[in-house]
Amino acid sequence: MIGHFCVLAFLMIFLVELGFFIIVSQTLENQARDKISLIGKEFEASLQSGASEAMIEESINRNRLDGINIFLFTSEGEPVAPDNYSDIQSVLDELLLRVGREEVGYSVTYRSGEAVKYASKTEYAGRPHYLFVTYSVSIVRDTVLNLQLYLLIIGCGVFAAAVLLSFIFSHKLSSGMKSMSDTAVLLAEGNYNIKFTNADYKEMAQLSDTLNYVRDEVKKTEDFQHEILANVTHDLKTPLTMIKAYASMIKEISGDNPEKREKHLQVIIDEADRLTGLVNDVLSVSKLQANMSELKLKVFNLTELVYGIINKFGYLQETQGYSFMLDIEPNLYTRADEEKISQVIYNLLGNAANYTGDDKTVYISLKSSMDGKRVRFSVKDTGKGISKEDLAEIWNRFYRVKESHNRPVKGTGLGLNIVKAILENHSFDFGVESKIEMGSLFWVDFPCVPAEIEV
Ligand code: ADP
């Protein structure tokens, strides 16, 4: 990581310096051209205004101090100033090449070789003269080289700072990632007491939060699995023990007594039914989870279905003092998977009976809405109610509120999850309202259809 950071920093500094160098050298050269042309024109103007030789000499000397050379020739090629210039011929040749012999008042600024130059054919003392001004580019280049040196020093400083910062950031980042990956390994080994912490960067903090969420979810699933395993094993054990005990009793005691034998056999049948129920619940959950069970939709009489299920719970009224208060409209029809809906109603009624209060009363209602489009089934108990935290969880698989209940109907902790999966499959609205110590009301909205429509 640090390598990448350094390469990036180097490239950026290099590009900035290169760009800066090109712009600076170009600008400086343009400035030199402008300067040369201005000086040339000023000199020309002073010639035309009749400057004395002494003034010309003085101007040439002043400019030479700034690295600017001025040459003045007669049209015959005689140097007027400076008269001590050695290589007159080559200067003259270049000058003539640029401005020609014939035209007076022609001037040009250009770069040739190592200098920017101004050449002109002008009038002085009433006769044509040649003017030549040169300025060495090496002076410009020296300035550029100086700048380059400063830039290089600054660049090295910036690069060193970039390397240092890269080292600090990459160290922080990679040590954060390493600690997270170490923690993730612990999580994979089944240690849920770990906590992902990293708040150095926003993204890392988000990743930590997500991983903590994953940890909680994995832990929940594992807890659920342990719980269902414990529940199912426990629920399997009781009926199996009963079946074994009653079978032994028939073998040893009641075999010849038809009345007793009948009773004992009934217990065995009931317990076997309970086992079947449990196995079916577990199967339903896994099937619903895998979306394997398709809905067999048809129109049926919901009122009759509800009455049928209430009758199944009749034994609670007869033997255990339960009372079911009914408010059921006759002949309400809906379109749904009848078998699955009967499972929903059975589970909700079973729960209400399980969790209702000491008055052992359960209120069951089935009513159509004002507009006749919906039928609402609701079942209300007078029990302890469900706390807000538990309300969010009860629909989850294997969830059981951790309190012991008087349970006339055996539950597996799967009932409400099956209810939820079936109703979501149908896209029916459903819900629960509950207040602590006031009981709970579970409701489902079915579509109301006329009895005639058979699909
Ligand atoms: P169980 O087989 O344990 O009843 P369910 O999935 O049907 O499983 O219900 C999950 C949990 O929701 C129950 O263990 C119980 O704590 C709570 N619960 C369900 N119905 C009621 C109710 N009518 N009143 C109070 N608590 C309820």
Side-chain angles (χ1 to χ4, degrees):
M1 199 183 286
I2 182 167
H4 286 138
F5 274 143
C6 291
V7 170
L8 188 70
F10 177 78
L11 273 178
M12 280 167 68
I13 293 165
F14 177 74
L15 286 176
V16 167
E17 292 217 346
L18 188 71
F20 196 68
F21 172 70
I22 291 171
I23 291 168
V24 165
S25 49
Q26 207 60 45
T27 313
L28 283 179
E29 190 169 323
N30 286 342
Q31 277 176 359
R33 271 173 188 247
D34 292 349
K35 186 175 172 182
I36 274 309
S37 131
L38 189 73
I39 287 174
K41 283 194 175 115
E42 275 175 8
F43 196 83
E44 227 178 306
S46 73
L47 288 179
Q48 282 161 11
S49 64
S52 67
E53 277 196 25
M55 282 167 72
I56 293 170
E57 196 74 32
E58 195 271 330
S59 175
I60 289 174
N61 288 337
R62 187 167 19 91
N63 277 303
R64 188 171 298 141
L65 292 177
D66 291 341
I68 297 164
N69 292 311
I70 300 176
F71 307 96
L72 187 64
F73 299 91
T74 62
S75 54
E76 285 76 38
E78 282 298 311
V80 177
D83 51 10
N84 57 352
Y85 191 71
S86 53
D87 193 6
I88 291 164
Q89 198 52 53
S90 70
V91 173
L92 198 59
D93 285 349
E94 187 176 348
L95 205 152
L96 291 177
L97 186 77
R98 290 284 166 183
V99 294
R101 286 177 185 279
E102 55 291 325
E103 271 179 80
V104 174
Y106 178 79
S107 67
V108 60
T109 313
Y110 61 98
R111 172 172 177 173
S112 141
E114 288 300 286
V116 280
K117 299 177 181 176
Y118 176 85
S120 161
K121 194 175 181 188
T122 182
E123 289 262 340
Y124 175 52
R127 288 194 300 141
H129 276 71
Y130 292 118
L131 172 66
F132 198 47
V133 186
T134 73
Y135 181 60
S136 171
V137 199
S138 65
I139 297 174
V140 174
R141 196 173 297 143
D142 284 351
T143 318
V144 173
L145 277 176
N146 270 344
L147 268 174
Q148 229 178 338
L149 189 69
Y150 289 134
L151 269 177
L152 200 71
I153 294 168
I154 295 171
C156 287
V158 172
F159 184 65
V163 170
L164 188 73
L165 284 177
S166 309
F167 180 76
I168 295 171
F169 288 142
S170 65
H171 180 72
K172 248 181 157 187
L173 254 177
S174 60
S175 68
M177 296 231 240
K178 178 152 181 353
S179 99
M180 274 210 229
S181 88
D182 289 349
T183 319
V185 169
L186 290 178
L187 177 63
E189 284 166 0
N191 181 353
Y192 299 112
N193 293 325
I194 45 100
K195 188 167 189 310
F196 292 92
T197 46
N198 196 311
D200 285 343
Y201 301 97
K202 200 172 141 218
E203 291 75 8
M204 298 280 271
Q206 273 172 352
L207 182 62
S208 296
D209 289 349
T210 313
L211 287 171
N212 283 327
Y213 175 70
V214 169
R215 174 206 58 199
D216 292 346
E217 288 303 304
V218 172
K219 183 172 182 325
K220 247 192 237 168
T221 315
E222 203 168 283
D223 286 351
F224 284 163
Q225 276 171 357
H226 284 150
E227 206 173 330
I228 186 61
L229 204 67
N231 289 346
V232 171
T233 342
H234 175 263
D235 290 350
L236 281 175
K237 235 158 100 185
T238 323
L240 283 175
T241 318
M242 298 267 275
I243 288 171
K244 192 177 169 204
Y246 277 85
S248 306
M249 269 160 65
I250 294 169
K251 189 177 169 195
E252 283 157 22
I253 308 166
S254 58
D256 299 332
N257 181 337
E259 207 178 308
K260 270 192 177 172
R261 192 180 60 213
E262 193 60 28
K263 252 188 174 173
H264 293 167
L265 280 172
Q266 192 53 48
V267 174
I268 292 179
I269 291 167
D270 288 348
E271 291 305 315
D273 284 348
R274 189 173 287 186
L275 275 181
T276 315
L278 179 64
V279 172
N280 283 341
D281 266 6
V282 176
L283 278 179
S284 296
V285 168
S286 47
K287 262 195 201 168
L288 286 165
Q289 190 187 16
N291 254 343
M292 270 166 21
S293 52
E294 287 209 348
L295 293 180
K296 297 183 191 97
L297 297 180
K298 66 169 187 175
V299 173
F300 60 90
N301 189 325
L302 192 58
T303 309
E304 273 177 19
L305 181 87
V306 171
Y307 272 128
I309 295 167
I310 293 169
N311 283 341
K312 282 194 191 167
F313 286 95
Y315 72 99
L316 291 178
Q317 283 178 295
E318 287 155 24
T319 60
Q320 298 187 30
Y322 274 79
S323 36
F324 293 145
M325 314 298 279
L326 309 184
D327 182 6
I328 295 178
E329 259 180 59
N331 292 324
L332 291 173
Y333 284 78
T334 193
R335 184 166 180 269
D337 184 320
E338 188 173 6
E339 201 183 310
K340 292 208 165 67
I341 294 303
S342 89
Q343 203 174 351
V344 166
I345 291 169
Y346 187 90
N347 286 353
L348 292 179
L349 282 185
N351 279 350
N354 270 341
Y355 302 108
T356 197
D358 292 338
D359 62 0
K360 295 190 172 176
T361 309
V362 173
Y363 299 85
I364 301 160
S365 139
L366 186 73
K367 303 205 118 195
S368 59
S369 61
M370 299 276 262
D371 59 8
K373 286 186 179 160
R374 285 175 302 118
V375 182
R376 174 162 289 199
F377 167 79
S378 69
V379 52
K380 182 173 166 308
D381 61 64
T382 60
K384 285 189 177 168
I386 305 165
S387 71
K388 265 200 176 143
E389 306 84 68
D390 287 327
L391 265 185
E393 304 276 5
I394 51 170
W395 304 98
N396 290 337
R397 221 175 331 144
F398 317 144
Y399 191 83
R400 275 169 153 174
V401 177
K402 289 177 189 60
E403 268 178 50
S404 55
H405 297 276
N406 186 18
R407 321 190 84 201
V409 181
K410 275 272 170 197
T412 54
L414 297 172
L416 286 182
N417 186 252
I418 295 173
V419 168
K420 178 181 169 214
I422 291 175
L423 293 176
E424 279 179 351
N425 237 348
H426 280 83
S427 305
F428 291 169
D429 287 337
F430 62 97
V432 53
E433 288 150 26
S434 188
K435 269 194 186 148
I436 292 294
E437 299 304 336
M438 302 282 282
S440 315
L441 180 143
F442 286 80
W443 58 269
V444 183
D445 278 346
F446 295 95
C448 189
V449 298
E452 308 79 54
I453 300 178
E454 278 293 339
V455 183

